[in-house]
Amino acid sequence: MKPFTYRSPADAAAAVRAVSADPDAAFLAGGTNLVDHLKLGVIEPDLLVDVTALTSAEIIDLDGGGLRVGAGVRNSDLAADHRVRERYPALAQALLAGASGQLRNMATTGGNPLQRTRCVYFQDVTRPCNKREPGSGCSAIGGATRGHAVLGASEHCIATHPSDMAVALAALDAQVNVLGVEGERTIPFVDLHRLPQDHPEQDTVLAHGELITAIDLPPLPMARRSRYRKVRDRASYAFALVSVAAALEVAGGVVRDCRIAFGGVAHTPWRAWRAEEVLRGTVAEERSYQAAAEAELADARPQHGIDGGNGFKIPLLTRTLVAVLRELATAEA
Ligand SMILES: Cc1cc2nc3c(=O)[nH]c(=O)nc-3n(C[C@H](O)[C@H](O)[C@H](O)COP(=O)(O)OP(=O)(O)OC[C@H]3O[C@@H](n4cnc5c(N)ncnc54)[C@H](O)[C@@H]3O)c2cc1C
Ligand code: SF4
């Protein structure tokens, strides 16, 4: 591992200044993703700025029923919070579907959405990878693609975003509070991550040195009956092949409103805007759920890899969405 300097500044503003001033510096939170990458040589920062003591570890009530989650809140504490479990069960379920108990005890609200892809070629420094080394090529295209994207991929990168928590945050209309050298700004969570296009090395719209300080969950009454379902190769300790976060409001047998996001299928947590549009105003029944899934997946493009590819994700995601919507509608009835 390349030697690096470790610093723990007095406050968040000083941490932002330190990282912004050095292109080879990085924030360190729980370290569960960053330290793995240091060991593998995927990243080689010369300065690590520890922000665990500089970001809030509190969850506070916002006016109108929302919650502000400090970037330092650990994933296990967020999943256990009674307000999250009651008002945003999909978020608690997504957190508990991720990693292991020990990892969730370390992982933070700021670090989890910024974890990097689990593409095996990204983690193997002997293989070309545009995300790790821009312009070097993409080893996944034509390689092992079982875990890769079917939506929004580009000829430069077909990686997926691995976070479960981020899928729930995308569905729940969360907002990200950020501190940079220019001051504070708020970004809708759905706009935080980028599609790969011709710059897959940029995972998000954050400038280098911008610090996530908190994530806001807006009041969303239908989220009280939201769900997260993750399909994976093993019952635990595995990343999603596909996943669905959804909230549904049904009145008189008709879908009045809904929120849907997918995981495991794109470079971003994928907000299913098209499926939502198709679903609103339809009868809450199997045919409508199927039509919503088909509309969202109409542009899906499977990868044909040496391992059989990932075409299975399209029917798997369709069935998962239909099952989650059926379950939510039944719970409403
Ligand atoms: C074996 C294993 C299995 C896993 N399984 C799953 C799984 O099934 N589902 C899942 O979702 N995750 C899984 N994970 C990933 C885990 O959830 C993440 O590693 C963790 O959430 C990252 O949070 P952290 O606080 O440790 O971030 P760190 O590793 O400290 O940082 C991650 C990135 O975020 C940046 N960063 C951290 N905090 C901030 C901030 N406040 N502002 C700006 N940048 C910041 C860092 O610079 C770094 O680039 C797994 C990890 C392991 C090792
Ligand atoms: S899919 Fe993306 S992360 Fe994986 S090898 Fe290709 S460029 Fe790298």
Side-chain angles (χ1 to χ4, degrees):
M1 196 192 295
K2 190 185 131 188
F4 57 84
T5 305
Y6 170 89
R7 248 195 261 162
S8 179
D11 56 32
V16 166
R17 282 196 299 277
V19 173
S20 301
D22 181 349
D24 289 326
F27 294 121
L28 173 70
T32 59
N33 192 227
L34 188 97
V35 174
D36 278 357
H37 287 159
L38 289 176
K39 290 188 208 156
L40 293 167
V42 168
I43 53 162
E44 296 190 315
D46 58 19
L47 171 65
L48 287 191
V49 176
D50 193 335
V51 293
T52 40
L54 310 181
T55 48
S56 165
E58 283 188 326
I59 305 168
I60 54 174
D61 283 289
L62 294 174
D63 288 346
L67 291 176
R68 171 160 296 170
V69 185
V73 174
R74 305 286 175 172
N75 284 180
S76 41
D77 293 331
L78 187 58
D81 187 274
H82 71 94
R83 293 162 294 179
V84 174
R85 290 168 57 191
E86 282 160 22
R87 297 183 213 166
Y88 309 98
L91 177 57
Q93 291 160 11
L95 286 158
L96 293 175
S100 64
Q102 291 95 329
L103 285 159
R104 292 194 293 269
N105 287 343
M106 289 302 291
T108 62
T109 299
N112 183 298
L114 300 182
Q115 63 176 289
R116 308 207 69 195
T117 182
R118 306 303 285 202
C119 172
V120 290
Y121 304 106
F122 173 73
Q123 296 188 325
D124 178 352
V125 293
T126 67
R127 303 295 296 267
C129 168
N130 288 325
K131 187 180 279 297
R132 182 170 25 77
E133 199 181 328
S136 61
C138 173
S139 300
I141 295 174
T145 57
R146 180 173 168 77
H148 288 75
V150 292
L151 290 166
S154 78
E155 58 182 310
H156 302 290
C157 180
I158 57 170
T160 49
H161 195 271
S163 164
D164 294 295
M165 174 194 183
V167 182
L169 292 174
L172 296 171
D173 293 335
Q175 303 275 324
V176 189
N177 299 306
V178 170
L179 178 68
V181 277
E182 307 283 324
E184 295 176 350
R185 66 176 178 132
T186 301
I187 307 166
F189 192 84
V190 286
D191 296 334
L192 177 67
H193 297 90
R194 287 180 73 259
L195 288 177
Q197 297 161 333
D198 51 359
H199 282 291
E201 74 280 7
Q202 295 168 15
D203 290 343
T204 70
V205 299
L206 295 179
H208 177 70
E210 275 193 307
L211 179 74
I212 295 180
T213 54
I215 293 186
D216 289 354
L217 294 160
L220 188 64
M222 77 173 119
R224 286 181 177 271
R225 288 176 303 278
S226 58
R227 292 275 184 284
Y228 182 74
R229 187 176 290 190
K230 173 178 181 177
V231 183
R232 48 190 158 179
D233 279 329
R234 292 188 305 269
S236 73
Y237 214 53
F239 290 88
L241 291 169
V242 302
S243 69
V244 170
L248 192 68
E249 186 185 338
V250 177
V254 171
V255 176
R256 284 185 49 151
D257 205 358
C258 55
R259 301 283 186 280
I260 301 169
F262 297 154
V265 289
H267 203 248
T268 63
W270 186 268
R271 180 70 180 259
W273 300 108
R274 234 191 264 181
E276 291 179 11
E277 204 181 312
V278 166
L279 206 53
R280 281 189 195 100
T282 59
V283 176
E285 61 181 12
E286 207 86 359
R287 252 186 312 179
S288 309
Y289 312 151
Q290 186 78 27
E294 281 167 15
E296 192 64 50
L297 290 165
D299 294 336
R301 298 284 172 268
Q303 301 294 327
H304 304 288
I306 51 172
D307 54 354
N310 65 0
F312 71 92
K313 286 191 177 187
I314 297 170
L316 183 60
L317 184 54
T318 302
R319 287 197 296 273
T320 307
L321 177 63
V322 169
V324 169
L325 293 174
R326 189 195 302 130
E327 191 185 328
L328 284 168
T330 309
E332 277 244 336

